[in-house]
């Protein structure tokens, strides 16, 4: 029924909103670790629970992470206007890093 679908949508909205809050917290950790180095912006793999780069071998750097994070956050800011300021602040950091250029090279997927 329509009521059943609408009820499940509201639960899904709450779930997605919670996931985005967790994602924003994780991105904040990434940015905090990047404050002294560009390495975190080009890091392709993370130990999510700890918010640190994966210590093992992996193809580095990958400069597609910042624009993908920014795109996700900008979409979320559009959908959840009450969280717009936080999501845009985080997206802006990734976009600023990307716009700086500085001859960055990487192994983008």
């Amino acid at each position: 029924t329509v009521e059943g679908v609408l009820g499940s949508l509201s639960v899904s909205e709450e779930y997605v909103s919670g996931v985005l809050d967790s994602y924003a917290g994780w991105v904040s950790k990434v940015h905090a670790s990047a404050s002294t180095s560009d390495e975190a912006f080009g890091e392709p793999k993370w130990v999510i629970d700890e918010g640190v780069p994966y210590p093992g071998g992996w193809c580095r750097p990958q400069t597609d992470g910042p624009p993908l994070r920014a795109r996700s956050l900008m979409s979320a800011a559009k959908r959840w206007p009450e969280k717009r300021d936080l999501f845009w602040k985080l997206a802006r950091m990734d976009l600023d890093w990307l716009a700086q250029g500085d001859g960055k090279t990487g192994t983008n997927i």
Side-chain angles (χ1 to χ4, degrees):
T1 67
V2 172
E3 293 80 16
V5 170
L6 292 175
S8 67
L9 286 176
S10 65
V11 170
S12 295
E13 288 283 320
E14 289 178 29
Y15 175 77
V16 171
S17 180
V19 168
L20 285 169
D21 287 341
S22 295
Y23 181 67
W26 178 80
V27 172
S28 294
K29 285 183 186 179
V30 169
H31 289 164
S33 69
S35 64
T36 57
S37 169
D38 278 348
E39 291 176 3
F41 283 100
E43 182 58 42
K45 189 170 179 179
W46 293 83
V47 179
I48 299 296
D49 293 345
E50 299 172 26
V52 298
Y54 174 72
W58 204 257
C59 191
R60 291 179 173 96
Q62 291 182 9
T63 56
D64 56 349
L68 291 171
R69 278 194 303 266
R71 183 178 181 192
S72 298
L73 290 162
M74 289 185 295
S75 294
K78 190 180 217 181
R79 176 62 189 88
W80 283 275
E82 68 276 9
K83 299 175 185 186
R84 181 179 304 142
D85 290 344
L86 170 63
F87 292 158
W88 266 105
K89 175 185 171 192
L90 296 172
R92 192 172 296 116
M93 289 183 75
D94 281 321
L95 293 172
D96 286 347
W97 178 84
L98 189 64
Q100 288 173 1
D102 298 334
K104 292 172 177 59
T105 59
T107 55
N108 299 323
I109 19 181

